[in-house]
């Protein structure tokens, strides 16, 4: 369900936000501080990996999360091709980008109150390497209507461009609502079970004509079947990791938008465009519905990766007394076994202004209790709704009374 917000753009330098000037204490800033104090030293591997393995370890980003994108839509595009794709690694709050031969490792990090910030670390062996802010450069592509009018994240499915065209990219953003057959243009997709139709694994530059769509996508168990993967940390662009990343990017943007709108609405003042309580409520409803996968595109067939990502992702818990977790992947019909976003556990969700968070919980309860009738929630069976409520009761602190009262 889409919110009908009156303004797409949220004023990032409103006094209540101060995105460009207010200091942050995100994971990258804290890592820089630890390096400067000598509390941690980053090992420098032989090129081309450089600081990549050490950065992933220091930031607790699993190698199994590796996804590979070969569309040239990045500041590192000079180093990206179908034989040298860019690798992206991620956890719930951090994404690390690495391209073979590039002179930096890139990072985005999700701060609980200030949203997404962008960094890079030079790939030169130094005693005390440090990430440097890159917001000004990165916002050219990371502040768009498609990021919900806030500095955010974007995973695009890119259509092929022929040589006689000048467009930077043709395609659309992906999230869990995007049909599988329309996902992953410009990306490698690997696994032991992959749907027959999607847009991955085919060239997007120097092709005979635009809008090429094969009825059957090339099947790859690993990236080694398409290019030399020796320089990469794994040969995989795991389909399960891709699906989680698709969900997480849009969820991140919605959390930022709701937080900022609520803070601006509470602050008031003469800043334009204004944010009304109705705007805040609309975004809260949109966020809650997205969290419950109301519009999730069904899987046409079961999928399975081979990098170990699914197990690594689920192992991060938390679990209830029955061993159930919102991080358990389904991958037969849909992404999650219990369709409620694991990002309800994130610091960013907990840091939402109280009124905004109350609106989200109100909507979640309307849907999970069966009271909401204004949208199609057929993806949530009575047993599934009951399981989500029970899991949240045991694993999520700060639930309102509606969730904890006997049913």
């Amino acid at each position: 369900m889409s919110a009908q917000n009156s303004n797409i753009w949220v004023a990032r330098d409103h006094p209540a936000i101060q995105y460009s000037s207010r200091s942050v204490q995100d994971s990258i800033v804290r890592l820089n501080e630890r390096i400067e104090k000598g509390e941690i030293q980053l090992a420098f591997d032989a090129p081309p990996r450089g600081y990549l393995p050490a950065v992933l370890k220091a930031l607790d980003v699993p190698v199994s999360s590796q996804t590979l994108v070969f569309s040239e839509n990045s500041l590192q595009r000079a180093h990206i091709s179908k034989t040298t794709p860019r690798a992206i690694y991620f956890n719930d709050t951090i994404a690390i980008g690495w391209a073979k031969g590039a002179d930096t490792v890139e990072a985005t990090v999700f701060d609980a109150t200030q949203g997404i910030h962008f960094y890079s670390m030079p790939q030169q062996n130094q005693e005390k390497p440090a990430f440097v802010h890159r917001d000004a450069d990165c916002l050219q592509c990371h502040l768009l209507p498609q990021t919900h009018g806030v500095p955010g994240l974007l995973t695009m499915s890119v259509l092929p461009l022929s040589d006689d065209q000048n467009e930077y990219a043709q395609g659309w953003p992906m999230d869990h609502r995007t049909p599988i057959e329309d996902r992953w243009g410009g990306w490698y997709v690997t696994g032991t079970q992959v749907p027959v139709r999607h847009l991955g694994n085919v060239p997007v530059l120097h092709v005979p004509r635009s809008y090429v769509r094969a009825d059957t996508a090339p099947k790859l168990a690993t990236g080694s079947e398409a290019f030399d993967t020796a320089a990469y940390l794994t040969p995989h662009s795991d389909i399960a990791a891709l699906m989680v990343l698709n969900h997480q990017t849009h969820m991140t943007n919605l959390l930022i938008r709701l937080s900022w709108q609520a803070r601006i609405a509470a602050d008031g003042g003469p800043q334009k465009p204004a944010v009304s309580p109705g705007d805040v409520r609309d975004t809260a409803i949109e966020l809650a519905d997205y969290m419950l996968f109301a519009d999730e595109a069904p899987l046409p067939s079961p999928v399975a990766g081979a990098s170990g990502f699914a197990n690594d992702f689920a192992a991060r818990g938390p679990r209830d007394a029955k061993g159930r977790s919102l991080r358990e992947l389904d991958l037969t019909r849909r992404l999650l076994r219990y369709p409620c976003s694991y990002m309800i556990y994130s610091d960013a969700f907990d840091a939402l202004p109280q009124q905004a968070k109350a609106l989200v919980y109100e909507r979640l309860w309307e849907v999970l209790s069966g009271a909401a009738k204004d949208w199609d929630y057929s993806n949530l069976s009575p047993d599934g709704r009951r399981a989500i409520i029970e899991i949240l009761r045991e694993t999520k602190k700060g639930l309102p009374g509606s969730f904890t009262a006997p049913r």
Side-chain angles (χ1 to χ4, degrees), residues 190-201:
T190 68
T192 57
Q193 290 181 278
V194 177
V196 170
R197 292 189 64 191
H198 59 80
L199 296 178
N201 299 340

Side-chain angles (χ1 to χ4, degrees), residues 365 368-369 385-393 403 407:
W365 181 249
L368 292 173
S369 67
R385 296 173 196 234
R386 188 179 307 109
I388 292 170
I389 293 170
E390 291 171 354
I391 293 168
L392 288 173
R393 282 175 175 171
F403 280 80
R407 292 187 68 195

Side-chain angles (χ1 to χ4, degrees), residues 99-340:
K100 184 179 179 181
D103 57 6
T104 60
V105 173
E106 296 183 314
T108 64
V109 61
F110 188 11
D111 179 77
T113 58
Q114 288 304 94
I116 290 291
H117 284 273
F118 306 86
Y119 301 86
S120 65
M121 175 180 282
Q123 283 279 55
Q124 300 170 350
N125 194 359
Q126 305 174 53
E127 182 180 355
K128 292 184 176 181
F131 278 100
V132 179
H133 249 118
R134 296 290 300 275
D135 288 349
D137 294 331
C138 296
L139 288 182
Q140 297 177 54
C141 296
H142 287 272
L143 179 56
L144 302 166
Q146 293 88 341
T147 64
H148 255 41
V150 296
L153 302 176
L154 196 65
T155 52
M156 284 190 66
S157 183
V158 177
L159 289 168
L161 293 172
S162 60
D163 286 342
D164 62 353
Q165 293 176 301
N166 298 314
E167 294 93 344
Y168 174 66
Q170 291 186 113
W172 46 81
M174 296 178 286
D175 58 49
H176 68 238
R177 301 167 298 180
T178 308
I180 295 297
E181 65 185 41
D182 292 329
R183 293 197 208 181
W184 307 316
W187 298 72
Y188 280 113
V189 183
T190 68
T192 57
Q193 290 181 278
V194 177
V196 170
R197 292 189 64 191
H198 59 80
L199 296 178
N201 299 340
V202 297
V204 293
L205 287 177
H206 312 299
V207 297
R209 62 187 178 88
S210 283
Y211 301 102
V212 174
R213 179 195 285 273
D215 289 333
T216 302
K219 186 175 181 180
L220 299 175
T222 73
S224 304
E225 299 173 26
F227 66 97
D228 183 0
T229 60
Y232 295 79
L233 298 182
T234 88
H236 304 286
S237 186
D238 191 281
I239 187 169
L242 283 164
M243 292 180 63
V244 169
L245 183 62
N246 292 163
H247 163 73
Q248 187 169 302
T249 51
H250 189 64
M251 180 73 184
T252 296
N253 299 340
L254 285 172
L255 281 167
I256 297 169
R257 182 177 179 85
L258 178 58
S259 174
W260 288 15
Q261 282 183 317
R263 287 153 61 187
I264 292 172
D267 182 81
Q271 294 285 330
K272 301 293 183 180
V275 176
S276 72
D279 293 330
V280 177
R281 175 174 286 276
D282 283 346
T283 302
I285 290 172
E286 184 174 8
L287 173 62
D289 286 354
Y290 188 80
M291 290 174 69
L292 295 176
F293 292 78
D295 289 328
E296 182 179 14
L299 282 170
S301 60
V303 305
S307 73
F309 172 81
N311 289 334
D312 291 345
F313 181 79
R316 292 176 176 250
R319 294 182 178 274
D320 69 4
K322 295 181 180 179
R324 299 173 298 184
S325 169
L326 296 185
R327 299 181 71 93
E328 289 182 55
L329 300 183
D330 178 90
L331 303 182
T332 59
R333 300 167 297 147
R334 58 194 184 199
L335 176 60
L336 298 180
R337 181 175 181 182
Y338 306 105
C340 177

